[in-house]
Amino acid sequence: MQTIVEDAHAGVVSPELVIDALFACRKTAAIRAAIELDLFTHIGEGKTAALLASVTGASERGIRILCDYLVVHGFLTKESGQYRVTPSTKMFLDRNSPAYMGSAVEFVAAPEILDNFLRDPAAVVRNGGSVGLANISADNPVWLKFARGMGSFTGLSAKILAGEICGWAKHPKKVLDIAAGPGFFGIEIAKGLPSAEIVAVDWTAVLELSRQNAVNAGVSDRYQTIAGSAFDVEWGTGYDLVLLPNFLHHFDLPTCAKLLRKIVASLAKDGRIVAVDFVPNENGVSPPFPASFSWEMLASTPAGQAYTQSELTEMAGLAGLAGVTVAAMPPTPASLILFE
Amino acid sequence: MQTIVEDAHAGVVSPELVIDALFACRKTAAIRAAIELDLFTHIGEGKTAALLASVTGASERGIRILCDYLVVHGFLTKESGQYRVTPSTKMFLDRNSPAYMGSAVEFVAAPEILDNFLRDPAAVVRNGGSVGLANISADNPVWLKFARGMGSFTGLSAKILAGEICGWAKHPKKVLDIAAGPGFFGIEIAKGLPSAEIVAVDWTAVLELSRQNAVNAGVSDRYQTIAGSAFDVEWGTGYDLVLLPNFLHHFDLPTCAKLLRKIVASLAKDGRIVAVDFVPNENGVSPPFPASFSWEMLASTPAGQAYTQSELTEMAGLAGLAGVTVAAMPPTPASLILFE
C-alpha cells in the first residue's frame, strides 16, 4: 500500500477524504454535545475547563476530551490549557449572539433525521427515495421541534425575501404562507409592509410556533393560521402573494405542479407566486449546498429533490404558468424563485 | 445577522465549519451507501449512470443523486453526465485496489458504533464515558464484523511494525499477540521471521478471522490461538515479544498498568512489550487523528482514551517498567510504543 501511494502523483492520492467521510458522524455528535451543553457560550465567557465541567454538570474528563476534539476540528483554540471560541463559533454558536444557529441541531442532527440517513443508506439509493419524514404523522410534536430548529437557518433568507417584496412597485396585501414552519417568511413581510395580512398554513403543532413568533414580532393582529396539509385545506382566494418557502423540494415534479395549479386558482388578479428553495445548476453538482440537497431529500422523502431552473420551468409549464425567474439570495445558499 | 457578518473580519467569520459538522452524518451515509453498492469499482470500470443503476439493482434517480453528492464532496468527477473516480477513490475505494479500505465501513460506520456517538452525545460528556462496546458480549458476531472492518486500517501499520521487529539484533521466537483482531500484526511478524511462533488472544468469533488470515498468509503452522479476555486467560510464559496492537486505548490507565504487570510476568528473559496505538502530543490537540481518538473512546468505552507519551510513561511506571520509547509510523496515524 505504501509503495502504491508513493508511486502516485505526490499530494494527489490520499485517504484523507475517505477517512473524513467514514468518521464524519463523530463531528456531528461532538457539535451536538457541545451545543446541548452550551459549551460555546460558557467558553465565550472565559470559563476554565474545571468551571466548564461544574457549570454543565459534566465530568472534567468528558469536557476535556470533547474540547480537545473541538480544537482539532477548528471550533475552539487552546493555549496553556485554556479553551477559547473562534470568531466563527462566537458568532454562530454563542447563545448570546443574534446569529446563533445552535438550535439547528434540533432539526438537522435530530435522531429522527439522522436515522433516515444511517439506517440503511444503500436501500435509499436502491429505492430511489425513502419513507422518511412522510412516516411522521401530522400531529407528531417532532414537527414543532423541527420547525424550531429550522428557524435558525431560515431567518436570514426570510429577511432577504421581505426586502425584495417590499421593493415591488405594487405591495401585496393578502399573503398566503404555505408550510410556514417558524413563520419567518410571512412575518418579515408583515413587518415590512404594514398593510399586509398573512395567512399561514401548516400542521397544528407547528402553527403554535409561527403564531408565537408573530406575537413576538408585533404583527399578530394581521396574522391568521389554517391548520392542515397544503394539498388538502381550503385557504380561500384573492391572494396577492403566495409563498412556498422550502417546500417544493419535498415532492416530485408532478405533485409540485398540482400544488401550483391549486395556488394559481386562489390568486388575485396580478397575484404572484414566490418560492424560496435550493436550486442547483443544470450540471447537478454545484453550488455545493443546493447540489447536496437532493441527497438530503432522497433520504428524507419518497420522491423529493432540489430542482434546477429547467426543472422548475417544466413544473411551471405543467401548472399553466409561463416560467420562472431564479435569483440567488447571498449569503444564504437559497434562491428566490418567482413564477411568471 | 447579515450586518454582523459584514462587520467581522472578511473571510474569518463563516458558518461553514458549523454547517459542515451539523450535516456531516450525510457524508458518512453517502460513503457507506456507495461502498455497499460497490459504486467506485463499477465507475472505475467506466460504467455509465444507467448501467450503474442496472448493475447495482438501484433506481437511476437514486444513483444520480448519490453520485452528484459524491461529486460535490470530491469523491467523483462528472463531465457530460459521465462520472469518474478520482485518483484517491480509485486507490482506496475500488475493490480491485490492493489499498482498498472500503471494508472499514463495516466497523467505523457500523450502526452499533454510530449509535454510541449519536444516541446521546451530551450524556457521554456528562458521564465522562459510555457503556458503549463494553455492552456487547464476547460471543456477539459483531466483533467478527468489527475485526474484519478494522483490517483495512491495520494492515499497513502491521507491515511497518514487522519491518521494525525484523530489524532487531535478536529476533523474537515466541510472540504473543493480544487482542489480535484480524491478526495482521502477529501474522506479518511470522511472515518476516520464519522461526517466530505466534500465539493470538481474542474472542472466539474473532479468532476464526485471524486463523483464516494466518492460513492465507501461509503461516498457520506457526499460529496458535487462545480464546478469551486478555485480562482473564492463561497464556503461559516465555514470550520474547508481546504485542498490544490498538488495545490500551480501550481502558483507563490503572487497568492498562495491571495488564502490563500480567504481561511482564509472562516474558522470557530480555522479552519486550510493544504496543501500537494513537499517541497525541502533550497538548492533547495534535496531530489530528491521535488527538481526535480520545473522543472515539469516550463515546465507545467506559474509561478509554488515547494516551500521551507522559501518560504512557506513568503507566509503565505503575507496571514496574522503566518507561517508553514512542516512534511515529508514517504514513499511518499510529505510533510504535516500546516499553523499556
Side-chain angles (χ1 to χ4, degrees):
Chain A
M1 178 165 154
Q2 204 179 3
T3 320
I4 299 167
V5 173
E6 283 166 357
D7 282 354
H9 302 289
V12 173
V13 176
S14 155
E16 201 177 323
L17 269 188
V18 176
I19 288 175
D20 173 67
L22 286 172
F23 283 87
C25 284
R26 280 74 169 163
K27 221 188 282 182
T28 306
I31 206 78
R32 197 169 110 199
I35 289 169
E36 287 181 15
L37 297 169
D38 216 359
L39 220 52
F40 296 100
T41 310
H42 294 305
I43 294 174
E45 290 162 355
K47 293 203 175 71
T48 62
L51 251 175
L52 285 176
S54 91
V55 76
T56 59
S59 105
E60 264 196 68
R61 166 184 145 82
I63 291 287
R64 172 181 53 79
I65 290 176
L66 174 60
C67 287
D68 282 350
Y69 181 92
L70 293 169
V71 172
V72 172
H73 289 85
F75 297 98
L76 294 173
T77 62
K78 184 184 188 183
E79 227 171 291
S80 314
Q82 174 69 42
Y83 300 103
R84 296 196 196 284
V85 292
T86 67
S88 296
T89 49
K90 183 157 191 61
M91 175 76 73
F92 297 108
L93 295 178
D94 184 321
R95 200 174 287 273
N96 302 315
S97 164
Y100 180 68
M101 54 164 59
S103 42
V105 84
E106 282 202 63
F107 174 53
V108 175
E112 301 85 353
I113 298 281
L114 296 187
D115 189 54
N116 289 333
F117 287 93
L118 298 170
R119 200 184 326 113
D120 190 350
V124 162
V125 178
R126 274 193 214 97
N127 301 333
S130 155
V131 178
L133 303 182
N135 204 21
I136 304 179
S137 71
D139 57 354
N140 193 312
V142 87
W143 289 113
L144 177 59
K145 187 179 83 162
F146 289 174
R148 205 178 275 135
M150 228 174 292
S152 28
F153 280 146
T154 55
L156 183 55
S157 45
K159 277 190 212 296
I160 296 171
L161 172 72
E164 184 69 26
I165 306 282
C166 293
W168 285 1
K170 196 183 161 197
H171 287 168
K173 289 219 164 88
K174 198 173 167 188
V175 179
L176 182 65
D177 188 1
I178 292 180
F184 293 133
F185 290 92
I187 289 168
E188 287 297 332
I189 288 173
K191 280 164 68 179
L193 301 176
S195 62
E197 306 263 341
I198 315 296
V199 178
V201 174
D202 212 314
W203 304 129
T204 308
V206 174
L207 288 174
E208 281 176 38
L209 175 66
S210 33
R211 265 196 307 266
Q212 187 56 53
N213 284 334
V215 170
N216 297 346
V219 300
S220 57
D221 56 324
R222 294 177 285 126
Y223 202 81
Q224 290 170 45
T225 58
I226 301 177
S229 154
F231 294 94
D232 303 328
V233 294
E234 283 297 324
W235 55 52
T237 58
Y239 290 101
D240 302 307
L241 174 62
V242 177
L243 304 176
L244 285 164
N246 298 311
F247 191 57
L248 295 174
H249 56 235
H250 293 96
F251 311 100
D252 65 18
L253 200 149
T255 305
C256 292
K258 191 180 130 194
L259 181 66
L260 285 171
R261 281 196 300 272
K262 177 179 175 182
I263 293 170
V264 167
S266 66
L267 288 178
K269 185 171 175 293
D270 298 328
R272 311 300 302 264
I273 308 171
V274 170
V276 171
D277 221 311
F278 305 110
V279 182
N281 296 328
E282 298 300 329
N283 65 10
V285 296
S286 62
F289 194 92
S292 295
F293 201 77
S294 284
W295 175 238
E296 192 77 21
M297 288 300 104
L298 192 77
S300 313
T301 67
Q305 68 169 86
Y307 291 104
T308 62
Q309 177 150 5
S310 65
E311 288 164 334
L312 290 165
T313 303
E314 183 188 347
M315 190 188 290
L318 287 174
L321 295 160
V324 293
T325 309
V326 177
M329 301 171 80
T332 85
S335 290
L336 194 157
I337 300 153
L338 182 63
F339 286 90
E340 310 286 358
Chain B
M1 179 163 154
Q2 203 178 2
T3 320
I4 301 166
V5 174
E6 284 167 357
D7 282 352
H9 302 289
V12 173
V13 176
S14 154
E16 202 177 322
L17 270 187
V18 176
I19 289 175
D20 173 66
L22 287 171
F23 284 86
C25 285
R26 280 70 171 168
K27 223 189 278 182
T28 306
I31 206 78
R32 195 169 114 199
I35 290 169
E36 287 181 16
L37 296 169
D38 216 358
L39 220 52
F40 296 100
T41 311
H42 294 305
I43 294 174
E45 290 163 354
K47 293 202 175 73
T48 62
L51 250 174
L52 285 176
S54 91
V55 76
T56 60
S59 105
E60 264 196 68
R61 164 184 146 82
I63 290 288
R64 172 181 53 80
I65 289 177
L66 174 59
C67 288
D68 282 349
Y69 181 91
L70 293 169
V71 172
V72 172
H73 289 85
F75 297 97
L76 294 173
T77 62
K78 183 183 188 182
E79 228 171 289
S80 315
Q82 174 70 42
Y83 300 102
R84 296 197 198 284
V85 292
T86 67
S88 296
T89 49
K90 182 158 192 62
M91 176 75 72
F92 298 108
L93 295 178
D94 183 320
R95 199 174 288 273
N96 301 317
S97 163
Y100 180 68
M101 54 163 59
S103 42
V105 85
E106 280 201 64
F107 175 53
V108 176
E112 300 86 353
I113 299 282
L114 296 187
D115 189 52
N116 289 333
F117 287 93
L118 298 170
R119 199 184 326 112
D120 190 351
V124 162
V125 178
R126 273 193 216 97
N127 301 333
S130 154
V131 178
L133 304 182
N135 204 22
I136 304 178
S137 70
D139 57 353
N140 193 312
V142 87
W143 290 113
L144 177 59
K145 189 178 83 162
F146 288 173
R148 203 177 275 134
M150 228 173 293
S152 27
F153 280 146
T154 55
L156 182 55
S157 44
K159 277 190 213 297
I160 295 171
L161 173 73
E164 184 68 26
I165 306 281
C166 294
W168 286 1
K170 196 183 161 199
H171 287 168
K173 290 218 164 89
K174 197 172 167 188
V175 178
L176 182 64
D177 188 1
I178 293 180
F184 293 132
F185 290 91
I187 290 167
E188 287 296 333
I189 289 173
K191 280 164 69 179
L193 300 176
S195 62
E197 307 264 341
I198 315 296
V199 179
V201 174
D202 212 315
W203 304 128
T204 308
V206 175
L207 288 174
E208 282 175 38
L209 176 66
S210 32
R211 265 198 306 268
Q212 187 55 53
N213 285 333
V215 170
N216 297 346
V219 301
S220 56
D221 55 325
R222 295 177 283 125
Y223 202 82
Q224 291 169 44
T225 59
I226 301 177
S229 155
F231 294 94
D232 303 328
V233 295
E234 283 297 324
W235 56 50
T237 58
Y239 290 101
D240 303 306
L241 175 63
V242 177
L243 303 175
L244 285 164
N246 298 312
F247 192 56
L248 296 175
H249 57 235
H250 294 95
F251 311 100
D252 64 18
L253 199 148
T255 305
C256 292
K258 191 179 131 194
L259 181 66
L260 285 172
R261 282 196 299 273
K262 176 179 175 183
I263 294 170
V264 168
S266 66
L267 288 178
K269 185 170 175 295
D270 298 329
R272 310 300 302 263
I273 308 171
V274 170
V276 172
D277 220 310
F278 305 111
V279 182
N281 296 329
E282 299 299 330
N283 65 11
V285 297
S286 63
F289 194 92
S292 295
F293 202 77
S294 285
W295 175 238
E296 193 77 21
M297 288 300 104
L298 192 77
S300 312
T301 68
Q305 68 170 86
Y307 291 104
T308 62
Q309 177 150 3
S310 66
E311 288 164 333
L312 290 165
T313 303
E314 183 188 346
M315 189 188 293
L318 286 174
L321 294 160
V324 294
T325 307
V326 176
M329 303 171 79
T332 84
S335 289
L336 193 156
I337 300 153
L338 183 64
F339 287 88
E340 308 288 357

